[in-house]
Every structure is written in C-alpha cells, then in structure tokens.
Amino acid sequence: MSSGPSLHVLTRSDLHSLELTPGEAITMVEDGYLAYAAGASRNPAKLMVPIPDPARDAVAYSMLGYDGSLEQAAFKTSYRQGSTSAEKYYTTITLYDDTTGLPFALMDCHRVGATRTPASTALIARSCARPGARSALMVGTGAQGIRTLPYLLTALPELERLRLFGTHPDGLRDSVAALKERFPDREVELVDDVEAAARESDIVVAASGRAAHPKIRLGWLPPGGLLISVASKGVQEGTLAEADYTVATSGAQVEVTGQRMAGPDGVFRIDAELPEILAGKAPGRRGDEDRVFAFSSGMIITDIPVAHALAARAIAAGRGREVALWT
C-alpha cells in the first residue's frame, strides 16, 4: 500500500529563528508583483467575513492565488478576534506545487506576513516617494511594522532621519533592535506627537491598529509627502479622495479591506496599482509636489515566495514534521 503524498507541517516555533535579509525579501516580493503584472500569476480579491456577534469583535479572511514564477498555488486563512492584541490572531498558508499537484507545506503565516508586509512598504516607498526624500516616520510597532525601518533603509539608503511612534514597550524595543541589527550605525528618534512628526516627514507609514493617536491626515504631510497605510485604522477616513495621486497594491482589495478610505461619494479612486508601477506601466506619482496616498493590502502572490523560501529553509534544517493526510 502506497504511503501517498505527505504534507510538511511547520509551526511558528519551527519558523521563529529563520530570517530573510531585507534585500532578499524585497527582491522576492518584487518578483511576485512583476509576475502578476506580466499575467503569469492570479490573485483574486480576498474574502472577508465579519463575525455576526459584535461582542467578539472578530473577522475572518481567506485568500487564494497562484504565483507563476514559482509555479505554486496557495490558500491563506486568517482569523482575528479583537484588534488591541495579537494574542487572538491566527493565520496559516498552504502551498501546492502546480507542476505535480502535490501539497508542499502547511505553515503558520505570522512570520510570512511580518516579512512580506515591510517588503511591500519598502517597494511603495522606493516607487512613490518624491525625489530627494530624506525623512521617514513609522507609526505602529506591531508584527506588521517591526521590520519596516530596516526595509525602508535598504530600499532608500539616502534616508537621513528616521522616527518611530508606538505605544507598546516591547514593540518599540523590537523595532529599534531590528534597525540596529541591520544598520548598527543608524539612530531612530522616538516621538510622542504624531502630527508634528508627520509635518516634517517625506514618508509616513501607518501600521497602527486602533490608534492611540489622532488619525493621520494626508494634509499633515508636506507637499510631495507619501502616506502609506498598511490596512491601518490609524488613517483618517476618506483619504483616497484627499490625495493628489492614489496607489494600491490591489484596487479590488481596497474595496474589501479599505472601505473607510473612500470619499464621501463612496468612490474608490485608484490612479495606479503597485505591480503596474514596478513593471514600468504606470508612474509612482505625477509630480514632485503631489501628496500621494498608498493603500497596502496583502496579496497572496507576495506571501507565496516568502512562504516558499522560509519553508524550504525550515525543511532543509530538518524542522517540522511530515503528515500523510491522504493515506
């Protein structure tokens, strides 16, 4: 009797000490976007289901996609209950090898999201910041934001002034440590006035949850400023309508996860999508003085290459276990 195909199961602990360099992650994520722009990949809009019981304050997501460069299909699921803590946020990704049809890995997706998100942020900043941008403000110190500053510096080494706002001591410590690990000679300023810091920043990244600060307004930024929202609740409603130029990783997903960002008429005005910008098919901004708003929503085509790389390294290191589900 054949044992049949088996699935590599990788836990959060199996993946914990594995780390891609910012340069590796940015390249992988960019390749994922470029394959999508070339028509080799598929990324339908994610499904979102708010749980009916308001007392649970919960939402479930699902994404399905195909990365043509790796020839891997994937399913991703996420469930979050409440948004003031990461303790009740559970996310997984399952990879399938499209050349054989066989399952490759079922793994925790926490590290994957914490890697591809700052890589996407860095690519947006590289593509959409005004020429000569020298300052950046990071707002938020959760899993989606901890690695952002070293990724930004990797993509934009000319940045001179880095500032950080957060309310969680552990997140602040980990964010500073992530920067020092990659750029030991660089300093980050901790700020407590988000508006004042935003007014002096060429790039503002908002990755805060239920913000412990006034919601960021695009008008706070100087002319030519770039505001990147990482599916954030920390940005003022209707920001899409206020921007001189708007960018999204996926216009379809803004309408699912970014409904608050639409203007008073409910219209989602997206001038360009990031994959098209990276492929040279659309500009990252129209003019140096434009205030640009970019909405970064997770796309599974960027999860797949990061997940595949982490899974391959974990398996090569003998981590995880094989489960024969189809015997």
Side-chain angles (χ1 to χ4, degrees):
M1 179 178 175
S2 171
S3 62
S6 61
L7 185 68
H8 293 277
V9 178
L10 297 164
T11 68
R12 186 168 298 187
S13 295
D14 293 328
L15 302 170
H16 177 70
S17 61
L18 298 176
E19 192 79 49
L20 302 176
T21 68
E24 288 174 324
I26 290 169
T27 297
M28 289 175 188
V29 169
E30 184 171 16
D31 287 347
Y33 283 129
L34 290 173
Y36 178 72
S41 303
R42 297 291 182 270
N43 196 113
K46 67 176 68 174
L47 297 175
M48 180 178 74
V49 179
I51 306 304
D53 184 351
R56 290 187 183 147
D57 185 22
V59 63
Y61 294 98
S62 181
M63 287 197 286
L64 163 67
Y66 174 72
D67 177 14
S69 61
L70 286 175
E71 297 185 304
Q72 294 265 318
F75 300 85
K76 181 179 177 180
T77 63
S78 301
Y79 175 83
R80 188 205 74 217
Q81 192 176 99
S83 59
T84 57
S85 167
E87 291 180 3
K88 293 185 178 181
Y89 176 68
Y90 304 99
T91 178
T92 65
I93 188 167
T94 309
L95 301 174
Y96 287 80
D97 182 343
D98 187 55
T99 60
T100 64
L102 294 175
F104 176 60
L106 166 64
M107 55 198 290
D108 173 65
C109 205
H110 183 269
R111 171 53 60 86
V112 176
T115 300
R116 64 93 158 124
T117 299
S120 291
T121 297
L123 288 166
I124 293 170
R126 192 189 75 191
S127 303
C128 304
R130 69 170 181 82
R134 291 292 183 268
S135 56
L137 166 66
M138 177 67 211
V139 181
T141 53
Q144 303 275 30
I146 284 174
R147 292 171 175 80
T148 296
L149 289 175
Y151 278 60
L152 279 178
L153 266 182
T154 300
L156 293 171
E158 64 273 18
L159 287 174
E160 297 171 352
R161 191 177 188 186
L162 304 173
R163 280 175 288 187
L164 174 66
F165 173 87
T167 57
H168 300 290
D170 290 349
L172 286 168
R173 179 200 64 214
D174 292 345
S175 296
V176 173
L179 176 68
K180 286 293 187 181
E181 179 183 2
R182 300 293 176 184
F183 296 92
D185 60 333
R186 297 302 301 267
E187 298 295 329
V188 58
E189 303 171 39
L190 302 184
V191 302
D192 54 18
D193 187 332
V194 171
E195 180 178 351
R199 291 186 181 279
E200 298 179 348
S201 298
D202 298 312
I203 302 166
V204 176
V205 181
S208 50
R210 285 186 177 155
H213 59 83
K215 289 182 178 177
I216 299 170
R217 294 180 176 273
L218 186 62
W220 291 351
L221 277 67
L226 168 64
L227 174 58
I228 304 172
S229 172
V230 183
S232 170
K233 293 180 173 63
V235 174
Q236 182 64 34
E237 289 84 349
T239 301
L240 282 170
E242 297 178 359
D244 297 310
Y245 193 73
T246 59
V247 172
T249 46
S250 165
Q253 291 194 177
V254 174
E255 298 190 33
V256 176
T257 62
Q259 296 177 0
R260 308 169 42 255
M261 297 296 108
D265 55 4
V267 173
F268 293 88
R269 178 179 62 83
I270 302 297
D271 293 310
E273 293 185 329
L274 181 60
E276 299 297 300
I277 295 171
L278 294 174
K281 299 177 181 179
R285 57 169 52 237
R286 289 198 184 96
D288 292 356
E289 296 296 298
D290 283 352
R291 288 184 175 91
V292 177
F293 176 62
F295 190 90
S296 180
S297 180
M299 297 179 72
I300 197 167
I301 52 156
T302 60
D303 288 300
I304 293 172
V306 172
H308 184 269
L310 291 173
R313 294 182 188 192
I315 293 167
R319 302 184 188 183
R321 61 192 182 99
E322 290 189 63
V323 178
L325 291 178
W326 294 275
T327 54

